[in-house]
Amino acid sequence: DVKVTQSSRYLVKRTGEKVFLECVQDMDHENMFWYRQDPGLGLRLIYFSYDVKMKEKGDIPEGYSVSREKKERFSLILESASTNQTSMYLCASSSHLYGTYEQYFGPGTRLTVT
Amino acid sequence: KNQVEQSPQSLIILEGKNCTLQCNYTVSPFSNLRWYKQDTGRGPVSLTIMTFSENTKSNGRYTATLDADTKQSSLHITASQLSDSASYICVVNTGFQKLVFGTGTRLLVSP
């Protein structure tokens, strides 16, 4: 079974803090994704990575950066957290970018910025 | 603009009853369509993936249909159980794992 784990289920941070969200997958997948999920908006792609040290912007990259130093680990960084970044953050991984390959999701991190 | 619309937004049914959730999409290009189940506070879990040429796909009590001509899909749940209470999300893959997500239907199965 594919396992995608995220470092925290719940996180509370203050405005202006630097925030790190960590994601680890154990299936040797090339591709990893970061999404945020807000009520009434569905999941939106922030960034994805198709290889170590490679990254591509998604639909809403502003205010975020990512790091992929190892194949199994993909980090999302909020350089200076703001209240509008309060959201559920979901990490996913996939073995291939094309075709009907699954994206496997982690359990999510609910981030509150006060 | 690529869009995936789901209806209804929410639904309450009695345990043991059937229900059908709807998905309309205006997405181009189209690679495949997925249905995910998301329990409260959890990540989505895939139920089915259908390509352009597939009309129906089943996964246990879940049956998804796809009409690529009308750009509509449905998810039918048979003999509902309390554990079916969740959000069901319709997702269209435009290729290159670029997914367009619907906002989901929240289903509550009542005893």
Side-chain angles (χ1 to χ4, degrees), chain A residues 3-4 24-29 32 68 71-72 93:
Chain A
K3 274 254 174 60
V4 180
V24 177
Q25 51 94 3
D26 67 356
M27 284 302 292
D28 203 36
H29 283 173
M32 297 186 74
R68 190 150 179 220
K71 192 175 187 180
E72 68 271 17
S93 74

Side-chain angles (χ1 to χ4, degrees), chain B residues 1-4 25-29 92 94 98-101:
Chain B
K1 181 185 175 187
N2 286 335
Q3 269 190 311
V4 175
Y25 61 92
T26 51
V27 176
S28 182
V92 176
T94 63
K98 180 73 165 74
L99 305 183
V100 183
F101 290 81

Side-chain angles (χ1 to χ4, degrees), chain A residues 9 33 35 37 40-43 48 59 90 94 96-103 105-107, chain B residues 31-32 34 36 38 41-46 49 51 89 93 95-99 101-103:
Chain A
R9 293 299 310 278
F33 308 82
Y35 296 91
Q37 184 176 30
L41 289 179
L43 275 79
F48 75 97
D59 299 319
L90 289 158
S94 176
H96 293 75
L97 285 177
Y98 293 99
T100 58
Y101 293 93
E102 290 279 1
Q103 276 195 26
F105 286 85
Chain B
S31 175
N32 53 75
R34 304 152 183 235
Y36 281 89
Q38 185 176 23
R42 300 286 179 179
V45 174
S46 179
I49 298 178
T51 61
I89 305 172
N93 185 357
F96 201 64
Q97 289 285 332
K98 180 73 165 74
L99 305 183
F101 290 81
T103 55

